[in-house]
Every structure is written in C-alpha cells, then in structure tokens.
Amino acid sequence: EEEEDERIYQKYMDLISTLPTERGCTSDHITLYQGFWHLPTSSLLGVMAVQQHFKARSTNILLASTPKSGTTWMNALIFSIVNPLYDFSTHPLLTHNSHECVPMLEISIYKTSQIANPDVLPSPRLFSTHIPYSSLPKSTIDSNCRIVYICRNPKDVFVSFWHFADVIQIKLNKDQPVISLEETFQMFCKGASPWGPYWDHVLGYWKASLEWPKRILFLKYEVLRSNTSVCLKKLAQHLEYPFSLEEEKQGVVEKILELCSFENLSNLEVNKSSDKELVPGVKFSAFFRKGQVGD
Ligand code: A3P
C-alpha cells in the first residue's frame, strides 16, 4: 500500500513539475494549479490527493477559508457546537489546538506520500480546507454536506500572513533571501499568494453561497468579532445543531464564546508555549498573534 501511495504522489510530483511557478514569500515557491497559487510540496500534493480520493458524506461539515482569515477560531467554534456534551472544565480545546480537532483535508489527512483514511473519523466528520470552491472534490458538492466559509478583510489577511510567513520562514529555512513587504504586497494584489488570487477564492464561495444558501454559509471575520453571539447561533442553525432554549438558559452560548475567545485560546499551554506543531516548523502558537480587526 505504501508503494502504491508513493507511486500516486510521484505522479502528482511529475504533474507539478510542469506547472508555472513564482517566487513565494515562504521558503516554498508557489505553483499555479487550476487558476490558484499553491505551495507545491506542503499543500498542492495534498490538494491533488483530496481531489482524487476524498469522498464527502452528507453529514460532513467543511470549513473553508483562505489562510489567516480566522480558520483556527472557526474550527474551535464549529467543534464546540457539534460536540455539546463536553464538560467545559475538561473540554478537548483546553488541551488541543483546534486544528487537531478539525483536521485540514489537504495538510493533515492527505499528507505528502501518506494517504490517511478519513473513514475512521467519528461522525459527523469535521474538516477544514483552503481549497478554492472550483477545485473542491465533486463529492463535497454532490453530497450536499454543509460548508462554512470564513472571509476576512484582505488587508488584515495580508498583514497576518506576512507575520505568519516570517515566523515559519525563520523556522524552516534561515538562509532564504527575504522578500520585502512591498514586493510581497504587490504579489498578493496581483493574486500570486498561497491559495490566491484572494479575490477569486472569496468570490468562488460568495457566489456559491448565493446560489445554495442552505448548503453554504458565508461569514465575515469582522462581523464575527463584533457580533459573535448572533453569528454563533446562525452558525449552529446552519450546521443543524441549533441551541435549545434549555441550552441558551444554561448559558452554553456564552460558555462557547468564552472558551473560543482569542484571549482564552491564545493563553492555553498548547497554543502558547508547547512545542506541538501542525506540520514540522509550524507550531500551534503561530496561529495566534493579535486577533484584531484593522491591524
Ligand atoms: P492576526 O495575525 O491578525 O492576529 P488562521 O487561523 O486562518 O490562520 O488565521 C489566523 C488569524 O486569526 C490571526 O490573525 C490570529 O491571531 C487570529 N485568531 C486566532 N484565533 C482567534 C480567535 N480565537 N479569535 C479571533 N482571532 C483569532
């Protein structure tokens, strides 16, 4: 089986080597695939494997985003809504980063040369992804599974990404020549950023959410930040896990908001000082910086 996986990944590598490339602002260059720029080794291989192998089910929940739009936060909110039975004093999010609770399809499940089996995950399976709408595997559309898209102001996405790239660049490759902020900004604007063009990524999901509002919920980071409670209830309703009157009376909504708040999550050991990583070189602490609008 391992040999078969390696053969499949070699086929993807061969295809990737024929695709257009650009300099990226992390230690990877970026590669154009189906109209979007990808990090070839750390995610494009995974995207290709997802497209070929992943079979979504109607009960699955998929959180989609561009990087740095609030994925970590949304993972935590979705996980809390879907698992109402956890005690808040021993909740898994107190000891696990939300990316461990909601694995990213192309990075954590369909890892480079190691195709994992998502069938073993408990139902309803929760996944996150940065894959653009037009590149999603067909089953995510045919299965009618719930999709949530989190969108963030591009200026904040860019600034957040710049700092994130800096953190992981230092860790991954100290000898990498630094690309200036101005150059990276120009590249972002013309679309050449990982998972970019940002504009096309957002528009793909926006248009789909207008066409299939029952299936796809489009949320904005800024609205979530200013009106978290209303958004949380809307999100729970969309996922078909609405809060009961009893739960509302017991303050479940407030407890989830408190648990998933930037202040709480960013100060937990797992997200602050532990050496745990999402992938080599990317510690969970890299997903928490300021959590502000308009930085
Ligand atoms: P900043 O770099 O602007 O602070 P992603 O999870 O998609 O990688 O996005 C990371 C961004 O979301 C970072 O933004 C991070 O600080 C912010 N973030 C992480 N957890 C958050 C939370 N619980 N509430 C609000 N923002 C959060």
Side-chain angles (χ1 to χ4, degrees):
E1 204 170 288
E2 238 172 60
E3 259 175 37
E4 174 65 5
D5 283 359
E6 264 171 37
R7 202 183 53 75
I8 290 171
Y9 275 87
Q10 190 52 52
K11 217 175 63 188
Y12 299 154
M13 294 283 271
D14 294 345
L15 172 59
I16 290 173
S17 68
T18 67
L19 299 173
T21 58
E22 271 267 14
R23 259 181 100 197
C25 74
T26 62
S27 52
D28 242 350
H29 59 279
I30 49 177
T31 298
L32 191 65
Y33 175 67
Q34 297 181 340
F36 287 85
W37 292 97
H38 296 264
L39 298 166
T41 44
S42 51
S43 62
L44 184 48
L45 285 169
V47 172
M48 290 176 167
V50 171
Q51 290 183 325
Q52 195 179 347
H53 298 278
F54 179 63
K55 297 275 174 286
R57 300 180 195 141
S58 60
T59 51
N60 293 167
I61 293 171
L62 188 64
L63 167 69
S65 61
T66 59
K68 314 331 289 172
S69 297
T71 321
T72 312
W73 187 18
M74 286 295 297
N75 278 345
L77 293 174
I78 292 174
F79 182 79
S80 308
I81 290 171
V82 172
N83 294 288
L85 296 180
Y86 283 125
D87 185 327
F88 283 94
S89 60
T90 54
H91 201 283
L93 284 168
L94 296 172
T95 45
H96 295 80
N97 178 271
S98 68
H99 288 276
E100 295 177 282
C101 303
V102 184
M104 184 161 281
L105 274 177
E106 62 275 15
I107 289 182
S108 301
I109 306 276
Y110 292 90
K111 283 181 210 153
T112 314
S113 73
Q114 187 199 331
I115 299 174
N117 181 9
D119 292 343
V120 299
L121 294 172
S123 181
R125 301 181 304 174
L126 313 180
F127 301 107
S128 67
T129 187
H130 290 323
I131 299 179
Y133 188 76
S134 53
S135 291
L136 283 179
K138 204 170 161 294
S139 66
T140 50
I141 291 150
D142 295 345
S143 67
N144 215 18
C145 73
R146 291 286 173 275
I147 298 178
V148 179
Y149 187 77
I150 179 78
C151 160
R152 191 181 188 190
N153 173 338
K155 295 179 194 170
D156 283 339
V157 167
F158 174 75
V159 169
S160 181
F161 186 77
W162 170 256
H163 288 287
F164 181 74
D166 192 36
V167 169
I168 62 173
Q169 184 181 43
I170 289 163
K171 304 246 163 67
L172 287 178
N173 188 352
K174 286 197 181 91
D175 305 325
Q176 180 78 7
V178 175
I179 304 186
S180 70
L181 180 67
E182 287 69 23
E183 199 185 334
T184 314
F185 177 68
Q186 292 306 331
M187 287 172 73
F188 182 90
C189 291
K190 71 170 194 187
S193 59
W195 306 99
Y198 165 91
W199 329 100
D200 294 348
H201 202 286
V202 173
L203 264 180
Y205 282 95
W206 171 247
K207 285 183 182 162
S209 74
L210 293 182
E211 200 166 340
W212 296 286
K214 273 207 158 147
R215 201 156 60 76
I216 306 171
L217 177 68
F218 189 97
L219 290 175
K220 294 180 188 161
Y221 181 95
E222 295 72 27
V223 180
L224 199 59
R225 205 71 174 100
S226 64
N227 212 343
T228 322
S229 168
V230 171
C231 287
L232 186 68
K233 289 181 200 166
K234 196 167 152 187
L235 176 62
Q237 209 124 37
H238 176 77
L239 301 178
E240 296 179 346
Y241 286 82
F243 296 110
S244 64
L245 271 179
E246 194 52 35
E247 283 174 320
E248 291 211 25
K249 268 195 222 147
Q250 287 168 357
V252 172
V253 174
E254 288 72 23
K255 283 182 191 159
I256 292 180
L257 294 183
E258 163 57 20
L259 173 71
C260 302
S261 70
F262 179 85
E263 292 67 29
N264 186 53
L265 290 183
S266 63
N267 282 307
L268 296 170
E269 203 244 329
V270 59
N271 298 323
K272 192 176 183 178
S273 45
S274 89
D275 286 330
K276 275 171 99 179
E277 297 176 320
L278 177 67
V279 291
V282 184
K283 278 192 194 169
F284 288 140
S285 57
F287 292 93
F288 299 88
R289 194 179 62 92
K290 288 188 176 176
Q292 287 173 3
V293 172
D295 181 39

